[in-house]
Amino acid sequence: MSFIRYQIDFQKKRKYFYNFLLMGSIVDILIIASVAYFYKLSFSLSLKVFLGVVLLTFIIYILPLLLLYKNYLKYTGDSKLKISDDYQNPSFEFDFKWNTFFFKIEDISNIEVHMSYTMFEKRMRWFFWDELFYYVVFLKNGNSFIISCLICDDLLKYFPNVKVQRKKRLFPIILTPASARL
C-alpha cells in the first residue's frame, strides 16, 4: 500500500508567502517609480518616498502576513499527513510534534475550517493573509489536531461525508492547539 504524503514544502511556501512578498515588492517599486517620474522628485525626496511606502507596506501587509506565517510554522511546521491510496477505505496518519494520530474517516466527528472573513464570504481578498487558513480535525475519541493550509490546502476532498463547520476569523491565527476545542 502506498501513501499520499503532505507536509510543508517549497510549493506551499511559495504559494502562501514568497509570492506575496514578491508581489508587495513589485507594487512598491512601481508606486515609487511612478511618483518619482510624474512629480520629478529629487533623489533624496525619492528615497524618503521609498522608505515611507516600504514602511507602510510592511506595517499594513507584510508584518501581519509574517506573523501569521510564523504562527502556522510554529504549530504545524514539523507535521506530516499521510493518506493511504485505498479509495474504498483510506487510512490516515498525522504526525504532530508531540503525538501521532492514526484514524479513518469514521473516526472523525467533525472538521472546522478557520478562515478570514473575505474567504468565508467568498469575496475578493484584500490582504495577503486572507489566503491563509487551517483545519481543526475532531476525532470521536475526544482528540483534536490542527492542519494548516501550509501542509494540505485541499483536505476536505478526502472527507466528503464528514460534517464541516466553517468559522470566520478576522485574523485566522492559531492561538494554541488546545484553543481549537473552544
Side-chain angles (χ1 to χ4, degrees):
M1 176 186 310
S2 63
F3 287 91
I4 301 167
R5 299 177 198 289
Y6 289 100
Q7 64 187 42
I8 297 176
D9 58 10
F10 181 74
Q11 297 296 89
K12 293 282 189 331
K13 288 179 180 180
R14 189 179 76 197
K15 178 179 180 181
Y16 291 108
F17 188 70
Y18 297 126
N19 284 352
F20 297 131
L21 287 179
L22 180 64
M23 195 173 6
S25 300
I26 290 171
V27 168
D28 282 355
I29 290 169
L30 289 174
I31 289 172
I32 295 159
S34 299
V35 168
Y37 176 77
F38 287 116
Y39 293 103
K40 298 177 180 26
L41 300 179
S42 66
F43 179 76
S44 64
L45 194 53
S46 295
L47 187 60
K48 289 177 185 176
V49 169
F50 171 77
L51 292 174
V53 169
V54 168
L55 182 64
L56 188 64
T57 300
F58 181 78
I59 291 170
I60 293 175
Y61 288 102
I62 304 301
L63 184 61
L65 172 66
L66 188 61
L67 291 172
L68 197 57
Y69 180 76
K70 289 292 186 186
N71 174 260
Y72 281 29
L73 287 178
K74 176 182 175 185
Y75 287 108
T76 62
D78 296 331
S79 303
K80 294 173 183 62
L81 176 66
K82 291 194 276 187
I83 303 170
S84 70
D85 62 357
D86 177 11
Y87 296 108
Q88 299 298 325
N89 192 16
S91 62
F92 302 87
E93 180 183 329
F94 184 67
D95 287 326
F96 210 42
K97 288 180 180 180
W98 50 83
N99 206 347
T100 300
F101 297 95
F102 298 96
F103 59 97
K104 293 193 173 270
I105 291 175
E106 58 268 8
D107 297 331
I108 299 173
S109 64
N110 69 308
I111 298 175
E112 290 180 352
V113 185
H114 294 256
M115 58 186 78
S116 68
Y117 276 65
T118 55
M119 183 181 261
F120 181 87
E121 297 167 356
K122 297 182 173 124
R123 293 185 288 135
M124 185 172 136
R125 291 161 184 110
W126 289 97
F127 298 104
F128 299 141
W129 65 84
D130 285 342
E131 297 289 327
L132 294 166
F133 62 95
Y134 64 93
Y135 304 97
V136 182
V137 179
F138 293 93
L139 300 178
K140 290 179 181 173
N141 66 9
N143 289 327
S144 67
F145 53 90
I146 295 170
I147 300 176
S148 74
C149 62
L150 298 177
I151 295 172
C152 180
D153 53 6
D154 59 352
L155 183 70
L156 296 180
K157 76 179 183 182
Y158 297 105
F159 307 109
N161 299 322
V162 173
K163 179 182 169 189
V164 175
Q165 296 173 313
R166 295 172 14 140
K167 303 258 183 184
K168 59 182 170 180
R169 310 268 305 271
L170 183 61
F171 192 68
I173 195 164
I174 302 169
L175 299 174
T176 63
S179 70
R181 297 176 188 227
L182 302 176

